[in-house]
């Protein structure tokens, strides 16, 4: 059998079938995702509150906290000056906090992913090999790659800001255009890299090979004909989530700005987060199922085992 042949049975209606039949799979996935994510969020909130408390008097002096929707029309130059002053105050401590927390967050997330996803897969199919280190390696590569893309995007935006906004006559429209251009390049790269990691992880897991050896095959498999129904249903789910988010933005806020309002926003976001985690897990299980079926059909046909 060809090493680039697509998996079978990637039917769009079956994306969440396994999770509906076995809700314990999704509960295990949410447990490790939300447990690790919640702890990291609390840590980020604690660090953010320290920075906010320390800089609050200086931020009030810039006038940026007194901005209203009419300020953009009545005094755009004053708004820009206030924004630049606030950004110059916030950027150094926020950057230091992000650089300090990023390694810890990445380590915790990779470890939680490896252990949590291993538990989910063991419950899904006990016959699958227990390859916790493979999952850790795959997730570490994904986090490092996406962090690199994000870093390049931030560096490009920072360079554009210094070039177009640092002089006596700021060029707001030019800066906005360059930010949009950088985002238009970085977003497809971010999504494509994540998808290729997704497919390569499933390949390495089911074939018992190294992760780095199947990365390019994962990229080719992502473009295979059999995967297109899965990609179409995922796009529909994303569109539904986007429309739901727009509708939730129209819901009036019941609390003034503060911790209660932040808790309210978090509560509204939980269903969308659960659906997002569900389709990601469902897609991964469907890919694993298709690859296992391909291996079984290849074995019955007397074909040699697939290797990169």
């Amino acid at each position: 059998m060809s090493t680039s042949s697509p998996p079978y049975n990637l039917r769009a209606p079956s994306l969440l079938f396994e999770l509906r039949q076995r809700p314990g799979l999704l509960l295990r996935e949410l447990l490790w995702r939300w447990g690790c994510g919640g702890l990291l969020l609390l840590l980020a909130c604690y660090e953010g509150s320290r920075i906010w408390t320390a800089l609050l008097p200086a931020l009030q002096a810039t006038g940026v906290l007194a901005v209203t929707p009419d300020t953009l029309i009545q005094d755009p130059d004053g708004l820009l000056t206030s924004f630049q002053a606030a950004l110059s105050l916030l950027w150094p401590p926020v950057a230091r906090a992000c650089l300090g927390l990023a390694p810890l967050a990445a380590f915790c997330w990779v470890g939680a992913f490896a252990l949590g996803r291993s538990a989910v897969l063991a419950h899904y199919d006990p016959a699958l090999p227990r390859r916790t280190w493979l999952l850790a390696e795959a997730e570490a590569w994904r986090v490092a790659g996406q962090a690199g893309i994000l870093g390049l995007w931030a560096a490009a935006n920072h360079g554009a800001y210094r070039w177009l906004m640092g002089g006596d006559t700021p060029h707001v429209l030019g800066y906005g255009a360059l930010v949009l251009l950088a985002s238009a390049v970085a977003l497809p790269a971010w999504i494509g890299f994540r998808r290729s990691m997704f497919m390569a992880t499933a390949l390495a897991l089911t074939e018992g090979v190294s992760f780095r050896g199947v990365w390019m095959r994962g990229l080719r498999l992502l473009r295979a004909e059999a995967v297109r129904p899965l990609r179409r249903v995922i796009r529909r789910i994303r569109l539904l989530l986007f429309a739901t988010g727009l509708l939730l933005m129209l819901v009036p806020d019941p609390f003034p700005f503060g911790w209660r309002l932040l808790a309210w926003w978090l509560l509204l976001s939980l269903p969308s987060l659960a659906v997002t985690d569900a389709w990601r897990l469902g897609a991964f299980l469907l890919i694993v199922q298709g690859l296992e079926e391909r291996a079984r059909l290849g074995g019955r046909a007397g074909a040699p085992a697939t290797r990169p």
Side-chain angles (χ1 to χ4, degrees):
M1 179 175 293
S2 170
T3 58
S4 60
S5 58
Y8 300 92
N9 261 348
L10 295 188
R11 296 184 298 271
S14 61
L15 175 61
L16 300 178
F17 174 79
E18 195 73 33
L19 301 184
R20 290 197 300 267
Q21 296 297 314
R22 302 168 64 184
L25 293 172
L26 181 58
L27 292 178
R28 284 173 169 81
E29 181 79 1
L30 294 181
L31 179 63
W32 77 259
R33 280 187 176 273
W34 291 15
C36 180
L39 291 176
L40 294 178
L41 181 61
L42 288 176
L43 183 59
C45 289
Y46 171 75
E47 191 66 22
S49 66
R50 291 179 62 252
I51 295 174
W52 179 262
T53 302
L55 296 181
L56 183 58
L59 289 173
Q60 289 174 336
T62 64
V64 72
L65 299 181
V67 169
T68 64
D70 296 333
T71 307
L72 182 61
I73 300 175
Q74 297 174 357
D75 188 14
D77 293 335
L79 176 61
L80 181 60
T81 302
S82 299
F83 174 76
Q84 289 178 318
L87 185 62
S88 64
L89 288 171
L90 286 172
W91 176 252
V94 170
R96 285 195 301 269
C98 290
L99 290 176
L101 293 177
L104 175 63
F107 178 80
C108 293
W109 181 261
V110 168
F113 178 88
L115 296 175
R117 184 58 63 86
S118 293
V120 172
L121 291 173
H123 185 68
Y124 167 69
D125 185 1
L128 280 174
R130 304 291 181 87
R131 306 193 66 192
T132 305
W133 286 110
L134 167 73
L135 295 175
E137 179 189 7
E139 188 66 5
W141 277 106
R142 185 193 69 81
V143 170
Q146 291 190 290
I149 295 172
L150 181 62
L152 291 175
W153 175 82
N157 289 341
H158 183 64
Y161 181 85
R162 294 186 61 182
W163 177 36
L164 295 173
M165 302 291 289
D168 296 332
T169 57
H171 301 280
V172 180
L173 293 180
Y175 172 67
L178 286 181
V179 169
L180 290 177
L181 178 62
S183 302
V185 173
L187 185 59
W190 171 286
I191 295 175
F193 183 82
R194 179 176 56 80
R195 288 175 177 175
S196 65
M197 294 293 102
F198 177 90
M199 302 298 288
T201 303
L203 276 170
L205 183 69
T206 55
E207 295 185 1
V209 296
S210 67
F211 172 76
R212 284 170 290 181
V214 294
W215 181 71
M216 290 304 298
R217 285 180 55 208
L219 187 60
R220 292 194 298 269
L221 180 60
L222 186 63
R223 301 171 181 172
E225 181 69 27
V227 185
R228 291 183 180 178
L230 180 62
R231 295 175 63 179
R232 283 196 293 268
V233 73
I234 288 176
R235 281 196 293 267
R236 289 197 293 268
I237 293 176
R238 285 176 174 167
L239 182 60
L240 178 61
L241 290 174
F242 179 74
T244 303
L246 291 180
L247 292 176
L248 290 177
M249 290 176 61
L250 301 177
V251 176
D253 297 329
F255 307 107
F257 186 78
W259 69 268
R260 289 184 297 179
L261 181 60
L262 295 177
W264 169 255
W265 287 342
L266 179 62
L267 183 64
L268 288 181
S269 68
L270 289 182
S272 297
L273 290 176
V275 174
T276 301
D277 293 337
W279 70 253
R280 286 177 177 170
L281 177 61
F284 186 77
L285 295 180
L286 195 59
I287 292 291
V288 169
Q289 178 187 0
L291 291 170
E292 287 185 307
E293 183 177 348
R294 183 181 71 172
R296 287 195 298 270
L297 291 176
R300 286 200 297 268
T306 303
R307 286 294 183 270

